[in-house]
Amino acid sequence: MGTDISLCHDGTSALVTVDTDIDHQSRPQLESAADDLPNTVRDLTLDLGHVVFVDSAVLYVIRDMQRVVDRNGGRLRVAGLTGQPRRLLRHAADLWPEARWDTYLRAS
């Protein structure tokens, strides 16, 4: 359980697959994974399809991964949002529309 990172052959895109709950305990590992991505990554997909539970830590993780691709002019896609993780992100989008959380909901 944890996080798996797959890079494409030229290093411009990456897939980060998470298969553990995202909370204050797992957040440092996920943020470290984002920081360890090469500077060549412009397209990043965060796959949360195996995640059953998230707390507010997921918002920090998404923002951190967005920051990583922003530095290279890239984009972040959040995939596999279902159940409780999707509801939390939907609530965040309702409470803080200026943060554009709905962008990640549409992409999923």
Side-chain angles (χ1 to χ4, degrees):
M1 295 190 103
T3 305
D4 180 57
I5 300 173
S6 304
L7 290 172
C8 72
H9 70 282
D10 66 357
T12 61
S13 63
L15 171 65
V16 176
T17 304
V18 182
D19 65 358
T20 187
D21 292 344
I22 300 177
D23 56 22
H24 74 281
Q25 289 181 328
S26 62
R27 180 179 163 192
Q29 176 192 6
L30 294 168
E31 289 175 338
S32 177
D35 290 338
D36 290 343
L37 289 169
N39 289 335
T40 56
V41 173
R42 290 187 301 276
D43 293 309
L44 177 59
T45 299
L46 176 60
D47 180 5
L48 302 180
H50 300 287
V51 177
V52 176
F53 172 82
V54 298
D55 65 18
S56 61
V58 74
L59 302 176
Y60 291 96
V61 169
I62 290 171
R63 282 292 181 211
D64 197 47
M65 293 197 177
Q66 183 66 58
R67 179 190 50 77
V68 166
V69 295
D70 281 350
R71 71 180 177 213
N72 299 318
R75 71 178 180 100
L76 171 65
R77 180 174 171 267
V78 178
L81 274 172
T82 61
Q84 188 270 341
R86 185 171 191 78
R87 286 191 302 276
L88 186 136
L89 206 56
R90 185 169 295 144
H91 288 305
D94 290 343
L95 292 171
W96 302 290
E98 66 279 3
R100 302 179 45 103
W101 296 113
D102 60 327
T103 304
Y104 306 109
L105 288 164
R106 286 192 303 263
S108 182

